[in-house]
């Protein structure tokens, strides 16, 4: 695949993948758009791949209590905490931008092992476009997929190429999954509430 083609697919051909798949969500509109459109109730939220805290800070600004952890200590929240090794949930809801390569494991562990009420994961829009995830989709279908109507710049180079979505899983949901566009933040009505 050419450098341009790999970049358009969300890759990083010149430098390879970043260590621990760390791509900070510095576009705060990503989290703000989710929280303007989807209400998680008066709950504590676990940001379990908090990185340098951009997402956690927006969640706090919306009035939620946030438990911020990460596998690596990046100077924000509690470092050296492996979400996949937790035996008890830190909060009933998870909102995070996980390492894409571990996203399925995050959902399986969160929804099946920890029995979370809800998980909202920020992923590539095409995340389910893989034959290896077909069975997973039918076992644990997302409750809702919110497709961003803008592209996200993870490189910080001012060339946003990646199309992303929020995938939301809700305990007890059996399908079908709903799909909606998600516009950049502004005053919008809440489309759902989790109680």
């Amino acid at each position: 695949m050419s450098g341009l083609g790999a970049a358009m697919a969300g890759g990083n051909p010149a430098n390879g993948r970043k260590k621990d798949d760390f791509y900070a969500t510095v576009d705060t509109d990503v989290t703000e758009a989710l929280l303007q459109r989807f209400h998680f109730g008066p709950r504590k939220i676990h940001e379990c791949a908090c990185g340098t805290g951009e997402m956690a800070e927006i969640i706090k600004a919306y009035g939620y209590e946030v438990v911020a952890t990460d596998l690596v200590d990046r100077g924000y929240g509690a470092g050296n905490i492996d979400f996949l090794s937790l035996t008890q949930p830190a909060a009933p809801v998870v909102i995070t931008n996980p390492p894409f390569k571990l996203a399925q494991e995050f959902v399986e562990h969160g929804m099946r092992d920890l029995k979370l009420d809800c998980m909202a994961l920020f992923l590539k829009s095409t995340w389910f476009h893989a034959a290896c995830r077909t069975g997973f989709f039918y076992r644990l279908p997302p409750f809702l997929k919110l497709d961003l109507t803008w592209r996200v710049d993870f490189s910080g180079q001012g060339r946003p190429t990646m199309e992303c979505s929020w995938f939301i899983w809700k305990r007890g949901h059996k399908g079908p999954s709903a799909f909606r566009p998600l516009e950049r933040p502004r005053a919008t009505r809440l489309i759902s509430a989790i109680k």
Side-chain angles (χ1 to χ4, degrees):
M1 180 180 285
S2 72
L4 177 60
M8 292 179 71
N12 186 0
N15 302 320
R17 299 212 45 91
K18 290 188 180 180
K19 184 171 176 12
D20 300 313
D21 230 13
F22 178 61
Y23 295 89
T25 317
V26 295
D27 182 349
T28 57
D29 283 355
V30 164
T31 310
E32 187 130 9
L34 171 71
L35 297 174
Q36 282 187 5
R37 190 85 181 264
F38 200 94
H39 183 60
F40 293 90
R43 299 181 179 224
K44 183 190 291 186
I45 291 174
H46 186 189
E47 212 295 41
C48 58
C50 70
T52 49
E54 291 85 0
M55 190 174 282
E57 286 298 310
I58 297 296
I59 297 168
K60 283 182 189 177
Y62 272 76
Y64 296 100
E65 180 184 350
V66 177
V67 177
T69 65
D70 201 298
L71 178 64
V72 176
D73 186 349
R74 300 184 194 280
Y76 184 92
N80 306 309
I81 309 274
D82 183 357
F83 175 73
L84 297 175
S85 295
L86 295 181
T87 57
Q88 296 292 323
V93 173
V94 161
I95 298 176
T96 196
N97 170 9
F100 289 169
K101 67 183 180 184
L102 296 176
Q104 181 173 332
E105 288 87 343
F106 269 57
V107 176
E108 295 267 11
H109 184 61
M111 299 307 293
R112 293 202 158 170
D113 302 334
L114 299 178
K115 301 189 180 350
L116 297 176
D117 291 343
C118 177
M119 292 186 83
L121 271 58
F122 187 65
L123 302 167
K124 287 196 247 184
S125 295
T126 58
W127 188 69
F128 270 116
H129 295 191
C132 65
R133 294 194 185 105
T134 303
F136 169 69
F137 179 85
Y138 288 112
R139 281 193 318 277
L140 277 173
F143 168 68
L144 179 63
K145 181 185 178 206
L146 296 169
D147 294 315
L148 271 60
T149 58
W150 72 98
R151 289 183 176 154
V152 179
D153 181 8
F154 284 102
S155 70
Q157 297 177 1
R159 296 184 317 216
T161 57
M162 190 176 294
E163 294 169 344
C164 294
S165 302
W166 280 103
F167 292 79
I168 301 173
W169 284 266
K170 184 177 175 183
R171 184 159 43 113
H173 176 70
K174 302 293 184 197
S177 302
F179 300 86
R180 302 281 185 275
L182 184 62
E183 296 177 357
R184 277 196 183 261
R186 59 187 173 139
T188 57
R189 64 184 180 83
L190 297 175
I191 60 169
S192 185
I194 293 182
K195 298 180 181 180

